[in-house]
Amino acid sequence: MEEKIIRTEYSEIMQKSYIDYAMSVIVSRALPDVRDGLKPVQRRTLYDMHELGLRHDRPYRKSARIVGDTMGKYHPHGDSSIYGALVVLTQDFKMGVPLVDGHGNFGSIEGDGAAAMRYTEARLQKITEDMFLADLDKDVVDFGPNFDETEKEPLVLPARFPNLLVNGSEGIAVGMVTSIPPHNLGEVIDAVIALIEKGDLTDEELMEIIPGPDFPTGGIVTNKDELAEIYRTGTGKIRVRGKVEVEQARGGKTRLVITEIPYTMLGANIGKFLNDIAALAETKKAPDITDISNQSSKDGIRIVLELRKGADIENLKNLLYKKTRLEDTFGVNMLAVSDGRPETLSLRAILDSHIDFQFEVATRKYRTLLDRETKRSEVQEGLIKAVDIIDLIIEILRGSRNQKQVRDCLIRGETEGIKFKSAASKKLAAKLRFTETQADAILDMRLAKLIGLELEALIKEHEETEKKILEYRDILDNYSSMAAVIVKDLKQVKKEFAVPRRTQIVNAETAEVKEEVQEDFAVAVLMDRFGYVRAVDETVFERNREAAESENRLVLHCMNSSVLCVYTDVGRQHLLKVSSIPFGKFRDKGTPIDNLCNYDSAEENIVSIFPSDAFPEEGSMLLFATKNGFVKRVEPAEFALSRKTIAAAKLQDGDKVIAIIPVTGEDGRVVLETRGGYLLKLNVADIPVKKKTALGVQGIRLTSGDSLAAVYDLAADPSAQIEVGGKTVELGKLRTGSRATRGSRPK
């Protein structure tokens, strides 16, 4: 075969290939179809269970069998994605209407994972059989080849209610994400019926029927007035709160009981929520909370907060809404595959798409049923006619040499080669004009059909068939008749499967917390060599001063309202409120400092920590020194920012900050010490004042392989002494040198 080389731009090939890949992920994996509300993996799993015969009234089957069969026949991807989809389809705390009946450990609302698929079992729910899979044998949807063209699979399931709204959907595709909240089955069906019967509804009328989402976890939607715009555009944020009840306890005390949680708190977020409440109690932001217990069970959520006597209930509720995930936002982006392409849809567009799909499915269903009944009527007419002339037919059968002669005689009246008892019989046989279908039915007819009662039953059956034909033709020919059938089915679905609404829809004001003005008092912040930090009262520190100074890497004296500036060797400043540091007893362990601020102990080390109000004197500066010998002074006001983390110094590649010390005025002296033993005494006035984003200037000229090790402030300790090369050096007696010189070694 002759080689053919196609020359093209590489960027064009990459662009086309990536677009193809993105569309494959969007349409074939990540996004649901607006018609049945299912992603491909969910649709294939349900269809495979249907093929395996896993009906709701039959025994469960191992999940591993379902996953393996689905993967082998329809979904050639990882088994974990198939099992993950199967697990979600069973979870009543995630799905508005679960589509699979699971047996075994399929996870919990608190985030416990499902057991391995070799341990769990599953079968279809009755609603799934009736509403998604019941009419697949009636040519209601198109089928296509599977990935290796050895099987056929439905391209969409004939869902009889808007599953996209009822069960919602979440998925991440390439460059787009879908997030659709679940809704109440009964309300959604009412909206579909109203649109079919009235033809059109205003947005206000539609919102009266579907006031908002209905989360399986309950809760309270607090921005009712914003929902109309969210449903009109298909995007927005829904504010959801958990449900909090007040119970009376012994001794005049009260307790708060959380009985419903926001949908966004599912899983591991419940554990984080409990930790957040504990942190509020420990840091004295919620001093009224004396105990926390999670009493949740299979019967529902029950998180109990024991309160002090006389606690401010409303303020505490607002604090929980404000500081924890008891109030959260659900981001809505109603993106789904419509007509083969991804599209952000409004509530009305989803309902309209479902109604169009229902009419298409009903048309195909009743056309198939009409064809079946028409063929049945044809057969019945032939059999009734045959019974009337059964003697002639028996004579034809006995006089024929083969079955072909009989068929030709029955269909076209050909009597050649057939022996008749009389010429009259032959003349009657020549007039026979049965259809091919009727002829085959006559040849297959049993002798029992000759009984009189059987003939009567056959005539009665034919009358019923004719009634069905008239009914089906009426449904296909008249919009109102088809609409009536669809509405009747929807009402039956609602009657059998609808449940009361679980989520309340209200307008609620944003939670406001009355901040209790705490009295300022002096504290000592202690950090041990492992980076665990804690705060103790100043009087407690004084009683344990010797132990505190010997056991801790850092001791800071400040006020409880202070903010600490944490400087690291990579040139970053992190802000840490003293009030967020655990306050307690002297021997308490404390909390890792990297859990309290953005400091990352894996990539940066703490150089200095100062309270933000530690420089009250005019002319106070922060002196920065780096490993490569660069120095600068920076005004503290440069760092008076509200951001939690900022860049505090600009560094060359490979350079690190080794010291940050406060200096005041222009008359001070500092000493720079290198690892090679060189010392250089400088006037503070010789070190220029720079912006925090400036690189700085060379403070000491380093020899090859040497680096700056330490900086000493003589204003803080005029009589400071250090050991260099085994000799004691009084820093105050060193001769003052010039910046950017090498300095000297002690002799």
Side-chain angles (χ1 to χ4, degrees), residues 8-18:
T8 185
E9 179 65 32
Y10 181 73
S11 61
E12 292 178 4
I13 289 183
M14 289 298 294
Q15 184 179 11
K16 182 179 182 303
S17 299
Y18 192 77

Side-chain angles (χ1 to χ4, degrees), residues 204-225:
E204 292 75 15
E205 290 173 329
L206 198 56
M207 292 298 296
E208 286 178 6
I209 302 172
I210 305 178
D214 185 26
F215 297 107
T217 54
I220 305 168
V221 171
T222 61
N223 56 335
K224 179 179 179 180
D225 288 346

Side-chain angles (χ1 to χ4, degrees), residues 220 222 239-245 256-258 260 262 265 273 277 280 313-329 508-513:
I220 305 168
T222 61
R239 264 198 339 265
V240 192
R241 284 181 182 173
K243 188 174 181 181
V244 183
E245 297 178 354
L256 289 183
V257 181
I258 299 161
E260 295 176 5
M265 202 194 285
F273 169 64
I277 297 177
L280 289 174
I313 302 294
E314 288 305 314
N315 192 57
L316 184 55
K317 280 185 185 180
N318 287 337
L319 181 68
L320 294 177
Y321 294 144
K322 191 95 171 172
K323 300 293 185 181
T324 72
R325 296 192 69 172
L326 190 61
E327 178 175 293
D328 206 357
T329 57
E509 295 181 1
T510 304
E512 296 293 339
V513 181

Side-chain angles (χ1 to χ4, degrees), residues 411-425:
I411 296 169
R412 293 183 292 274
E414 295 181 6
T415 58
E416 190 69 30
I418 301 176
K419 295 179 181 179
F420 290 93
K421 293 181 179 179
S422 65
S425 297

